[in-house]
Amino acid sequence: MSRELARRIAFTIGALLLFRLGTQVPFVGMGAPSPSFSGEHVVRFSIFALGILPYLTAAIVVRLVSLVSRRLSSLERSGERGRRRISGYTLIVTLVFTTFQAYGYASTIRTIPALVPDPDAWPVLAATASIVGGVFVLVWLSEQITRHGIGNGLALLLSVNILVHVPVDIAGIARLLQDGQVSGSVVLFHALVWIGVVALIVFVEGARRNVRVEFAERRLGGRLGDRLLPARAAVLPIKINSAGFLVPATVAPWILFLPVAGLAYIFGADTPWVAAAYRQLGFGMLAHSVLGSVAIFVLAFIYTAYVVDPEHAAKSLAARDGTIPGVAPGEATANYLDRVVSLTTVVGAVYLTVLQLIPEVFELYGIGLPYSMMINGGGALVVVCTALDIKTQVRDVSLTNPGGVRR
């Protein structure tokens, strides 16, 4: 192991331990946690109570706005300066989201007598400020991990937050199995399903649709004279799952519940047909499964169209004298790439939909086990992709000399 790799691993472990330590620090006004509190309760009353999700939500909102705003879209493609400006916008949106959520969280706790015996003395604003500060500490910590550690900091914090629930869930299922409340065959079936899901994720995330590209001979001029680049062949790799999981899985519930929430605001949540709509859109209901699957499938196409822009790729190839064999440059290349991306996205969208449906199918057929809400197909995708990214970075750092030269 190289010294640089050891340093990065040590930094990452230290940062993650700091993250877990922060989940045990109560926010202002809570005092020391009661011994009767479980570990999950302690986390909910800590400075990291909201986790990194407000920042993630803000980043998704900014990304969605960039889908319809040419100004933001051009900023993202304008280099490091543009990306810094988008990062600044994301932090501003994060501050707004976090402040509202933290204030509502602190105000709600104030109304619980078991937690706050004296509501008049409850420092709502101080509690709000400490929770907001906790979110921004996590944003800073994730950036430090990405810069100085191994892996993507945001993905690592999300993965750790998911993995800490696994031992608790396994212990709970073991108790149910010991008490005879669930059968061993159901537990074995779940284990085999999740092993298959992990294998599927590893296969699909590593799969690429390679489009062959040929570059013509080019002559480059410079201060040291002309330099001739010989003709060469390469491939343009297109991921099966270019949309990822977070954007489709996060936006799909908004599409389902925002219209119903608007109707509840207009007609009242106690209106029979509004209450019935809420029930039918509950987790494990057929309507939620069908509409959620359609939403994720469509969102996968929409977001892939933003991430993989055939017209931009065609212009980049033309600027470098690159062509796809048998396809004319320009518009014909863009149309060809659009067809390839569309066909590939069908597979990726089905894959994302299947991952999202796994826990709901268990509930529909009455064979579910008491998982945490964090343990689902999306959680497995985040953890596995994070592990694959760490593997790639470990290999790259191991093969790179201190001077930045590949061995």
Side-chain angles (χ1 to χ4, degrees):
M1 181 186 294
S2 67
R3 182 177 298 179
E4 174 65 12
L5 178 58
R7 185 192 66 80
R8 285 180 172 271
I9 291 176
F11 184 91
T12 302
I13 293 174
L16 294 179
L17 289 176
L18 181 63
F19 165 55
R20 292 305 300 165
L21 177 64
T23 61
Q24 307 302 307
V25 178
F27 53 76
V28 174
M30 281 304 300
S34 170
S36 62
F37 284 175
S38 66
E40 180 64 23
H41 287 143
V42 173
V43 172
R44 290 178 182 176
F45 303 137
S46 73
I47 57 173
F48 293 160
L50 297 183
I52 197 74
L53 289 180
Y55 177 72
L56 178 62
T57 304
I60 291 174
V61 168
V62 172
R63 184 61 60 89
L64 290 176
V65 173
S66 66
L67 292 178
V68 295
S69 171
R70 289 189 176 183
R71 182 171 177 269
L72 276 182
S73 181
S74 61
L75 270 179
E76 192 165 9
R77 294 192 172 101
S78 64
E80 185 61 28
R81 183 179 179 183
R83 285 190 288 271
R84 282 201 301 267
R85 290 187 63 181
I86 289 182
S87 178
Y89 296 152
T90 304
L91 290 176
I92 293 173
V93 178
T94 301
L95 178 61
V96 175
F97 284 177
T98 306
T99 301
F100 275 105
Q101 292 181 54
Y103 183 80
Y105 194 73
S107 300
T108 301
I109 290 177
R110 182 182 184 181
T111 63
I112 303 176
L115 297 175
V116 185
D118 185 8
D120 294 334
W122 176 249
V124 175
L125 293 181
T128 300
S130 62
I131 297 173
V132 171
V135 171
F136 278 86
V137 167
L138 290 182
V139 172
W140 173 83
L141 192 62
S142 68
E143 292 177 350
Q144 299 309 305
I145 293 174
T146 302
R147 189 175 305 169
H148 304 293
I150 287 289
N152 180 281
L154 179 61
L156 266 173
L157 294 183
L158 289 173
S159 297
V160 169
N161 209 30
I162 293 169
L163 290 174
V164 294
H165 291 85
V166 174
V168 178
D169 289 343
I170 292 176
I173 293 171
R175 284 194 298 270
L176 293 176
L177 185 61
Q178 186 177 8
D179 296 340
Q181 299 183 39
V182 296
S183 66
S185 59
V186 172
V187 175
L188 178 61
F189 172 73
H190 277 253
L192 293 176
V193 167
W194 287 113
I195 291 173
V197 167
V198 171
L200 175 66
I201 293 172
V202 172
F203 173 76
V204 174
E205 294 302 319
R208 300 289 187 275
R209 169 68 164 89
N210 292 325
V211 178
R212 182 178 172 82
V213 179
E214 294 180 350
F215 291 93
E217 184 179 83
R218 297 178 65 193
R219 183 176 297 278
L220 300 178
R223 289 180 297 178
L224 301 179
D226 290 345
R227 184 162 61 99
L228 184 65
L229 293 180
R232 59 189 176 89
V235 294
L236 178 64
I238 299 173
K239 289 186 65 176
I240 300 297
N241 176 30
S242 296
F245 180 80
L246 293 176
V247 172
T250 302
V251 178
W254 298 351
I255 295 176
L256 294 183
F257 287 104
L258 283 180
V260 181
L263 293 174
Y265 179 78
I266 297 172
F267 298 100
D270 296 333
T271 306
W273 61 272
V274 174
Y278 265 117
R279 287 195 300 271
Q280 292 301 316
L281 289 177
F283 179 80
M285 301 299 292
L286 182 61
H288 183 275
S289 301
V290 173
L291 295 178
S293 300
V294 172
I296 287 179
F297 192 89
V298 173
L299 286 168
F301 271 91
I302 294 174
Y303 191 59
T304 299
Y306 170 77
V307 175
V308 184
D309 187 348
E311 292 186 5
H312 180 74
K315 290 178 181 178
S316 298
L317 286 176
R320 294 171 174 78
D321 293 332
T323 58
I324 298 174
V327 181
E331 185 177 351
T333 297
N335 292 335
Y336 176 82
L337 291 176
D338 185 58
R339 287 195 301 272
V340 172
V341 171
S342 298
L343 292 174
T344 305
T345 304
V346 171
V347 180
V350 171
Y351 157 75
L352 291 179
T353 305
V354 169
L355 290 181
Q356 179 71 8
L357 276 177
I358 291 172
E360 297 210 54
V361 170
F362 289 158
E363 289 295 322
L364 282 172
Y365 286 93
I367 56 173
L369 289 177
Y371 296 136
S372 163
M373 290 300 293
M374 304 293 291
I375 309 300
N376 51 42
L381 180 59
V382 171
V383 172
V384 173
C385 289
T386 302
L388 293 175
D389 183 47
I390 290 174
K391 175 186 174 183
T392 301
Q393 290 198 28
V394 167
R395 184 183 62 220
D396 290 344
V397 174
S398 300
L399 296 177
T400 303
N401 289 318
V405 180
R406 298 281 292 184
R407 293 177 184 174

